[in-house]
Amino acid sequence: MKTGPWTRFSILGVCLGISFLGYVIFILMGSSLTGVYAVLAGLLPLSLAYFLGVRRVTVVTALLLVGVTEFAASGARGLYLQDVPARYMGDLFLLMGGALLEVIRYLRKEVRERSKEFLFALDTAEEGFFRYTPWRGEFVFSKRYCEHFAPELSPFVPYPARVFFENIHPMDRERVEEIFVSRHWAEGQRFSFECRVRRASGGFLTVKVYGLVYIAENGRRHPVFIGFMEDVTQTRELEERLDELTHRHRISGLETAPRFYERVGARVGRGTEGKLALLVASPEDLSEVTDLYGHEARDLIIKEIADRFLLVKRRGDLLFHIEDQTFVFTLEGASSSGDVALFAQRILDTFARPFFVRGTPVYLSGVVGIALYPENGGSAEVLLQHAEAALHHARRERSGFRFYSQSMLQGAATRLRRMRDLQRALREEELELYYQPLVSSEGVVVGAEALLRWRHPREGLILPSEFVPIAEDTGLILPLGRWVISRAAEAWGRWRREGLSSLTISVNLSPQQIRDRQLVDHLRETLSQHGIPPGYLTLEITERTFLEHMGSREFFSRLEEMGIGIALDDFGTGYSTFQYIKQYPVKAIKIDKSFVQGLPARGEDVAIIQAILTLADGLGLAVIAEGVENEQQALLLRTFNCQVFQGFFYKEPLREEEFIQYVKALHRPPGQ
């Protein structure tokens, strides 16, 4: 039977009680029972201890000696009553000494067992254990610590403190030493830090050190550090990789918006000598690259743009890739706005060379917006906001680069208000279509161009030039364009009921609508719903838009399959367009009003119009002269054999009811 300390102490009590009982019997019964007492005092406790499973116990040995002593004494001479207290006190001291020896032996055994368990736990722990005793200047390390961090050391052997500190990375050593020499440690206080430790195979491991402090009394109070050291190298490398993924653009590898706000914010926050210029640069027309060659080709071009920008960047300046198509340069120490402008031009010059996609050259342009610190803002956020405002102005004006001005901010506020009002206008039916007649050389109305107007509840009638650019910048142009197509189709259906089914109707398209993959399906559904023959609907796009979107072959091919024609608006600035017209469903061109308004005085305008009419006739294209404002212009254009006219000389844009009345009053269309 296994016994614990309390069982053994109970045995001591039993034995002591038996011894005391023997003395009581001796006093009452006399010396004739001395032998019986000896047996009780010696043999009975021994038997009891043996029965309880106590082996080689100091207490049992002591009790046996008591019995033997009493037995010998009784044989030599009788025990006398006056000897009882003395003898009993001697036995009592003997028993107490045996008990003390038993307790000491047990405690030593327990300490040895606990120490073995503790050391075993330290050796099996994943972390490396150490103990640092500053007043001795000694470190003691566990077996696991030695295996992980210092294989040349032996476990649980004291080593000088320098053995530990010399293994710390030089850039971390001073900080770590400062932690251990602090004089403000309290009992039970915890500590933790990270540092780099030299590994046996070379290089450094990143470790996390944590533990607690206890205060040892050695004449004085000294802190003792008990700690563990955990290898967190892989964890930190993974975190750094994650940080790279988070703060580096996936295509260019440049730092992204969070790093921009952090680094530029710090520079602006501490101030900087001279000017700090923020230049936001963006390529144009990348959407066409995606339409033509796919997203992979687009990503390759973005990567090449970033590489070209890195070659432009000056030493000490910063370059960020904060959005998919938006890059930000910081330019420090520029002595004047002229220096900043020269640098902006260098950025634009990177687009002069073509980008190659599968061996095919692709030409792009770029725009740059500029904000200056401290003139245009005192924080990274405000500077970026103002530089982007300048970028939008440069894009609309096609001016290459623009510096920020206060009027841009006011314009941005106006544009934001316009955008919200325009969203409301779409919901509240504040928009309406006007129709400007297209008149043939015989004076017959052959069709109409649908022109969008906005009847604002407070500002009255607003022309498209004021709100269409906002719709294009914000993406509202797509729902707005579908609304125009639907309303124009509804109007044609009413014209048919009025007996005007031979009239054509034309609608303007923006560049964003050409990229809308759902537009053709919307056109097909709308024509079918209102019974409009496809040939009676014409989509007008500007000559520039046509040239920039010639790569959208799928869009034009689907229109051609449906029988919908294209009219090139504002035509006359690029003769090279003629070589492409025959490849697309272009059925008419509209001579830009800037040429018509020069008639008849400007001879060069006369020559341009004659050349356009001659080339169009050779290609079988109809020609519409827009902006005809007086009779002289109309007569000269008829002389040049122009077939269709549009302008205030014939009629200004009319509401639908007024348009129907005008057509009926002027002429009945042919075939009616």
Side-chain angles (χ1 to χ4, degrees), residues 10-131:
S10 298
I11 295 172
L12 286 175
V14 171
C15 294
L16 185 59
I18 293 172
S19 178
F20 177 74
L21 182 60
Y23 278 107
V24 171
I25 294 172
F26 171 75
I27 292 170
L28 296 176
M29 303 299 295
S31 61
S32 61
L33 297 176
T34 303
V36 176
Y37 164 73
V39 173
L40 292 175
L43 298 178
L44 185 60
L46 179 61
S47 301
L48 181 60
Y50 187 86
F51 174 75
L52 292 174
V54 181
R55 307 291 188 270
R56 291 173 296 178
V57 180
T58 306
V59 149
V60 175
T61 305
L63 290 173
L64 183 59
L65 288 174
V66 170
V68 171
T69 302
E70 293 295 337
F71 184 78
S74 64
R77 59 181 179 83
L79 286 173
Y80 297 95
L81 189 62
Q82 62 269 20
D83 295 329
V84 171
R87 289 183 178 277
Y88 181 71
M89 290 303 296
D91 291 346
L92 180 60
F93 285 130
L94 187 58
L95 288 171
M96 292 177 63
L100 180 60
L101 291 174
E102 172 69 10
V103 171
I104 293 173
R105 190 186 71 83
Y106 171 76
L107 291 177
R108 290 180 63 186
K109 181 179 179 181
E110 286 293 313
V111 169
R112 286 195 300 270
E113 290 179 354
R114 299 295 183 187
S115 298
K116 288 180 181 178
E117 292 175 358
F118 180 65
L119 293 177
F120 181 76
L122 292 178
D123 283 342
T124 56
E126 289 297 325
E127 297 85 359
F129 164 80
F130 69 86
R131 183 186 69 203

Side-chain angles (χ1 to χ4, degrees), residues 14 33 106 138 146 209 229 244 276 278 329 481 541 620 644 656:
V14 171
L33 297 176
Y106 171 76
E138 291 180 349
C146 295
V209 182
M229 188 176 287
E244 285 290 307
L276 170 65
L278 206 67
F329 289 85
I541 62 175
V644 183
E656 184 183 348

Side-chain angles (χ1 to χ4, degrees), residues 366-387:
V367 287
V368 178
I370 306 168
L372 303 177
Y373 171 81
E375 296 96 318
N376 301 143
S379 68
E381 292 83 356
V382 173
L383 287 172
L384 180 61
Q385 174 190 347
H386 291 171

